[in-house]
Amino acid sequence: KAHFHNFPNGVTDFIKSECLKNIGDSSPLIRATVGILITTIASKGELQNWPELLPKLCSLLDSEDYNTCEGAFGALQKICEDSAEILDSDVLDRPLNIMIPKFLQFFKHSSPKIRSHAVACVNQFIISRTQALMLHIDSFIENLFALAGDEEPEVRKNVCRALVMLLEVRMDRLLPHMISIVEYMLQRTQDQDENVALEACEFWLTLAEQPICKDVLCRHLTKLIPVLVNGMKYSEIDIILLKGDIEEDDAIPDSEQDIRPRFHRSRTVAQQHEDGIEDDDNDLDDDDTISDWNLRKCSAAALDVLANVFRDELLPHILPLLKELLFHPEWVVKESGILVLGAIAEGCMQGMIPYLPELIPHLIQCLSNKKALVRSITCWTLSRYAHWVVSQPPDTYLKPLMTELLKRILDSNKRVQEAACSAFATLEEEACTELVPYLAYILDTLVFAFSKYQHKNLLILYDAIGTLADSVGHHLNKPEYIQMLMPPLIQKWNVLKDEDKDLFPLLECLSSVATALQSGFLPYCEPVYQRCVNLVQKTLAQAMLHNAQPDQYEAPDKDFMIVALDLLSGLAEGLGGNIEQLVARSNILTLMYQCMQDKMPEVRQSSFALLGDLTKACFQHVKPCIADFMPILGTNLNPEFISVCNNATWAIGEISIQMGIEMQPYIPMVLHQLVEIINRPNTPKTLLENTGTQKLNHTW
């Protein structure tokens, strides 16, 4: 992999010929390793320099010797996976015109392993609608149907995978057979082999995205819904992997591989200021530690999308099952019922409303269940109904739910802590200032969690605190709240080194807190401001070294700079004019000028947000740089980079307000682009609002 191109010619040729000689070795392990060697050489751009490879492998498929045939097919499958694009190009004289008909002949081979290879090879070319396959599409589908009942799980899995992909690219060819395909997929979703069941379950997810979904599935819901619901139970192996029998683990430190990398999302300013536009990431990720996509997750996701397609029409099929599951004595069954209830929340919300006054108190009770996995899924499901909870009188559901969730934040099980923290963040977003009367109680819990949490959950705790600050805003600015919240945050801030990625969530959190506390953040602002400026400076310096001598210096992780710029924005927004002294004593405008020209869109996006915030807070320092900044803003009014464009537009508006008539010389740099954005179809609402405001500002 690393040094192939430096091999002497003789060595390369020797490896190639030895590979072809040993492709039929009697050991499956050696055959597989030779296959990996061959595809690695091929993917190094060597398919052109090894013209005999594909013809040779294809001719070996006809060998009487099973090992040779299987070894050649194994290698071909790997090549099809790694080099699909070049196989379908003129560079190699379109070998697929010969290979695909050849593969189709092997669908009926007596060996299940060979049949499986054959289907897997052809499957690589479905999504790209490869011409050579499209010519034989009817024969391919016919051969797939012939394999539908194959006794080999790997073959059934590949058949299911093929049908799922064909649903996306050749629905026209499947439509005439749709009833029998749905029946077949229903059977396969219940296959004894979980890998087959998982591939089949993908079919419902894909079908739900097709316009014909409702017509095709309406008569099958009676059978399909129980199958999906049944798939949502934890399997025995899941419970072992999740350590489902360990109830108390909060004193056990996390291992580093448990902690998924964090990626910072740059600040996007929207009109009313300027809160981050967040995607809805409150998804079905209820058991992260089985990071693998599994039947449970796929079944839940399928039910979720089908609930969005069928809406309340799904309820007659679900409610009888729910009644049985939610009150079931076995915890595994009860837990799956709670997951079902969460999965249908978005699609069936209207139809569920009459049942919620009974269900929500039942779920709040389940938060005290003795099984940790029941408590954690209940947190998630309740968060899916947070919108409704908040719409009711606070004492009825919000107060009891909040009280119980805060207890779960301090649970003795780490998975429950995590689920409760995430659910509480969702509740904060929905409840906003409804939480103000309970702030002391909430902060008490969140601050106590600082001393209790292990590494992974600390990162989620930062998010819950940041979301709280976003939700209650200036109500947080009371001396007693500041006294509770700031010492543990600053203590973490002092402990973390500049290159520690745990800074990301902490900086994001502090950005929200600074914006909410406003003048209340003044005692803490100087060291925080200075460190952010240093982080930007360090990253830019490292980037310059890397650009000059890429072999000697590593590229910096620019996320550090992006997060620092965003926290500076939060400080500028929260402190307003009070930031003036800090800006005066630093080189932030010079650094920002460099960031505004960075190749990475997210860096530019965050620097324009900061420019807008500094323009509002202390324009006297920004004004001398306007002649340098405006041309850069003009070149970034490109809707292809929607968030960059949005923030640049907003910054221009803030500058216009401050400049008044002095803005006139700069209008030609931006006016043409702004008009284009307004007239462009499908321009997002926030961008239109920002652009429209700029247009007004320019007319004075």
Side-chain angles (χ1 to χ4, degrees):
K1 271 188 180 173
H3 303 288
F4 180 77
H5 290 303
N6 304 329
F7 287 0
N9 276 349
V11 173
T12 306
D13 294 339
F14 174 73
I15 293 171
K16 287 177 177 177
S17 70
E18 286 303 304
C19 279
L20 288 175
K21 267 187 217 160
N22 292 290
I23 193 78
D25 194 276
S26 58
S27 153
L29 192 59
I30 288 176
R31 293 201 298 274
T33 309
V34 169
I36 291 167
L37 254 177
I38 288 174
T39 189
T40 306
I41 294 170
S43 61
K44 289 277 171 198
E46 285 295 302
L47 268 175
Q48 296 96 301
N49 304 334
W50 197 356
E52 70 275 20
L53 174 65
L54 294 173
K56 177 70 175 161
L57 289 175
C58 284
S59 71
L60 290 176
L61 295 181
D62 297 321
S63 167
E64 293 294 310
D65 175 48
Y66 167 78
N67 292 338
T68 305
C69 176
E70 195 280 324
F73 236 136
L76 280 165
Q77 183 179 332
K78 293 180 182 82
I79 293 169
C80 290
E81 286 166 8
D82 297 341
S83 308
E85 219 165 291
I86 196 163
L87 288 174
D88 188 30
S89 68
D90 289 326
V91 179
L92 298 175
D93 207 16
R94 302 204 172 267
L96 291 179
N97 293 337
I98 296 160
M99 288 162 69
I100 283 179
K102 181 98 180 160
F103 296 153
L104 290 173
Q105 291 169 15
F106 285 85
F107 277 37
K108 296 188 169 74
H109 195 275
S110 58
S111 154
K113 188 95 169 107
I114 303 287
R115 295 197 296 275
S116 173
H117 280 316
V119 183
C121 283
V122 182
N123 281 359
Q124 295 305 318
F125 305 101
I126 299 175
I127 292 293
S128 58
R129 294 182 168 83
T130 300
Q131 181 67 33
L133 175 56
M134 293 303 124
L135 289 171
H136 297 92
I137 195 76
D138 292 326
S139 152
F140 174 46
I141 291 171
E142 201 179 304
N143 277 302
L144 281 177
F145 289 164
L147 291 176
D150 202 283
E151 79 275 5
E152 171 62 29
E154 200 58 29
V155 175
R156 297 198 299 276
K157 185 178 96 175
N158 284 329
V159 169
C160 290
R161 187 173 288 175
L163 289 169
V164 171
M165 291 190 284
L166 287 167
L167 200 54
E168 283 185 57
V169 300
R170 288 311 301 258
M171 172 70 88
D172 57 320
R173 285 296 192 266
L174 295 189
L175 264 179
H177 315 282
M178 200 46 98
I179 290 176
S180 34
I181 292 174
V182 168
E183 291 288 348
Y184 175 66
M185 285 301 194
L186 267 169
Q187 282 177 342
R188 290 288 74 85
T189 308
Q190 302 168 79
D191 202 285
Q192 291 307 295
D193 185 298
E194 185 171 327
N195 293 320
V196 179
L198 176 57
E199 284 298 338
C201 196
E202 295 278 357
F203 180 81
W204 314 113
L205 265 179
T206 306
L207 185 57
E209 289 163 9
Q210 307 296 329
I212 60 149
C213 175
K214 222 169 173 176
D215 295 341
V216 168
L217 281 188
C218 57
R219 63 182 79 88
H220 298 281
L221 289 179
T222 322
K223 285 183 186 167
L224 173 60
I225 299 306
V227 169
L228 291 177
V229 166
N230 198 41
M232 288 162 76
K233 282 206 295 279
Y234 276 126
S235 66
E236 285 175 30
I237 190 83
D238 289 343
I239 294 167
I240 293 165
L241 287 171
L242 287 168
K243 305 185 177 73
D245 51 341
I246 297 174
E247 295 300 323
E248 294 190 15
D249 62 357
D250 62 336
I252 303 167
D254 297 326
S255 67
E256 287 309 300
Q257 63 263 35
D258 288 344
I259 299 164
R260 291 195 293 182
R262 283 272 315 215
F263 301 102
H264 173 69
R265 272 200 289 212
S266 308
R267 190 176 171 95
T268 307
V269 277
Q271 200 43 42
Q272 272 74 39
H273 197 144
E274 281 51 283
D275 41 291
I277 300 165
E278 296 294 336
D279 303 329
D280 177 22
D281 48 13
N282 182 20
D283 55 15
L284 289 156
D285 232 357
D286 59 287
D287 38 58
D288 284 341
T289 14
I290 321 185
S291 53
D292 297 324
W293 186 236
N294 57 17
L295 184 59
R296 169 188 164 87
K297 287 186 177 182
C298 191
S299 303
L303 188 60
D304 184 1
V305 289
L306 288 172
N308 278 294
V309 170
F310 285 94
R311 301 281 168 184
D312 296 345
E313 292 168 41
L314 212 59
L315 290 179
H317 305 281
I318 290 255
L319 288 172
L321 299 171
L322 262 180
K323 210 167 191 170
E324 194 182 319
L325 299 173
L326 287 173
F327 300 96
H328 201 281
E330 273 181 60
W331 76 265
V332 177
V333 181
K334 184 189 188 79
E335 193 276 349
S336 72
I338 298 169
L339 174 58
V340 169
L341 192 54
I344 61 169
E346 195 186 328
C348 303
M349 180 58 85
Q350 278 314 107
M352 286 305 295
I353 287 173
Y355 306 97
L356 293 181
E358 186 190 341
L359 283 173
I360 297 297
H362 175 67
L363 287 172
I364 292 173
Q365 249 181 325
C366 292
L367 285 174
S368 316
N369 190 284
K370 65 178 196 298
K371 292 303 289 186
L373 288 171
V374 173
R375 298 198 298 278
S376 62
I377 197 63
T378 306
C379 291
W380 177 76
T381 293
L382 278 163
S383 75
R384 302 269 287 179
Y385 290 96
H387 185 73
W388 181 84
V389 165
V390 170
S391 71
Q392 305 302 302
D395 285 352
T396 326
Y397 307 108
L398 177 61
K399 203 171 168 187
L401 170 57
M402 189 186 63
T403 310
E404 285 307 309
L405 265 184
L406 288 170
K407 285 184 197 163
R408 294 292 64 85
I409 284 176
L410 302 178
D411 200 276
S412 55
N413 181 277
K414 290 192 285 192
R415 164 180 300 285
V416 180
Q417 293 171 358
E418 179 185 359
C421 246
S422 299
F424 197 74
T426 304
L427 188 65
E428 289 168 341
E429 286 172 340
E430 292 290 351
C432 294
T433 48
E434 295 271 346
L435 296 178
V436 171
Y438 316 110
L439 266 176
Y441 182 38
I442 293 168
L443 285 171
D444 229 4
T445 305
L446 297 180
V447 169
F448 187 72
F450 264 112
S451 59
K452 186 179 172 71
Y453 276 14
Q454 299 298 337
H455 187 176
K456 180 184 176 192
N457 286 350
L458 261 182
L459 308 183
I460 295 157
L461 182 62
Y462 294 143
D463 183 51
I465 291 170
T467 309
L468 180 69
D470 292 337
S471 303
V472 300
H474 66 90
H475 296 285
L476 205 53
N477 187 7
K478 285 199 174 152
E480 63 270 30
Y481 297 158
I482 296 172
Q483 204 36 54
M484 290 167 84
L485 182 58
M486 288 308 296
L489 285 175
I490 293 298
Q491 190 254 326
K492 295 287 177 199
W493 168 266
N494 291 333
V495 171
L496 289 176
K497 294 187 173 63
D498 276 356
E499 46 285 341
D500 192 326
K501 289 195 170 161
D502 285 5
L503 270 178
F504 297 168
L506 178 56
L507 284 160
E508 286 173 29
C509 170
L510 280 170
S511 177
S512 297
V513 169
T515 308
L517 291 185
Q518 299 170 352
S519 59
F521 198 79
L522 271 172
Y524 309 96
C525 67
E526 192 154 355
V528 171
Y529 179 90
Q530 207 40 60
R531 188 171 188 180
C532 287
V533 172
N534 290 345
L535 279 168
V536 175
Q537 195 155 350
K538 257 187 178 176
T539 312
L540 287 170
Q542 178 76 18
M544 280 174 73
L545 287 172
H546 171 70
N547 292 337
Q549 295 170 287
D551 297 343
Q552 273 188 288
Y553 296 97
E554 271 187 38
D557 182 342
K558 289 190 178 171
D559 269 358
F560 284 103
M561 177 158 74
I562 296 166
V563 183
L565 290 166
D566 287 348
L567 177 44
L568 288 168
S569 278
L571 287 174
E573 191 191 336
L575 298 173
N578 289 318
I579 202 171
E580 186 271 326
Q581 284 291 300
L582 295 169
V583 173
R585 294 200 299 268
S586 72
N587 61 340
I588 187 61
L589 289 159
T590 313
L591 298 174
M592 199 164 70
Y593 178 65
Q594 289 174 261
C595 293
M596 287 162 66
Q597 299 170 80
D598 198 274
K599 287 199 295 283
M600 191 176 181
E602 290 81 0
V603 175
R604 301 200 302 277
Q605 176 182 334
S606 291
S607 58
F608 295 142
L610 177 56
L611 172 59
D613 280 313
L614 288 178
T615 298
K616 289 171 81 170
C618 52
F619 188 61
Q620 67 269 43
H621 295 301
V622 176
K623 193 174 181 182
C625 309
I626 291 298
D628 293 323
F629 288 170
M630 283 307 296
I632 301 172
L633 285 165
T635 57
N636 278 277
L637 296 175
N638 171 8
E640 295 309 310
F641 296 104
I642 194 73
S643 300
V644 179
C645 182
N646 182 64
N647 287 6
T649 311
W650 177 72
I652 292 167
E654 294 303 327
I655 292 167
S656 312
I657 293 166
Q658 301 289 340
M659 293 277 282
I661 200 74
E662 292 175 66
M663 189 70 178
Q664 226 138 23
Y666 303 109
I667 291 179
M669 296 179 186
V670 296
L671 192 61
H672 175 67
Q673 294 94 308
L674 292 172
V675 172
E676 268 196 4
I677 292 167
I678 286 181
N679 292 330
R680 192 171 180 259
N682 306 325
T683 296
K685 184 165 143 287
T686 47
L687 183 48
L688 273 177
E689 284 172 356
N690 282 341
T691 315
T693 314
Q694 280 31 296
K695 290 282 289 172
L696 292 173
N697 293 335
H698 284 151
T699 54
W700 297 294

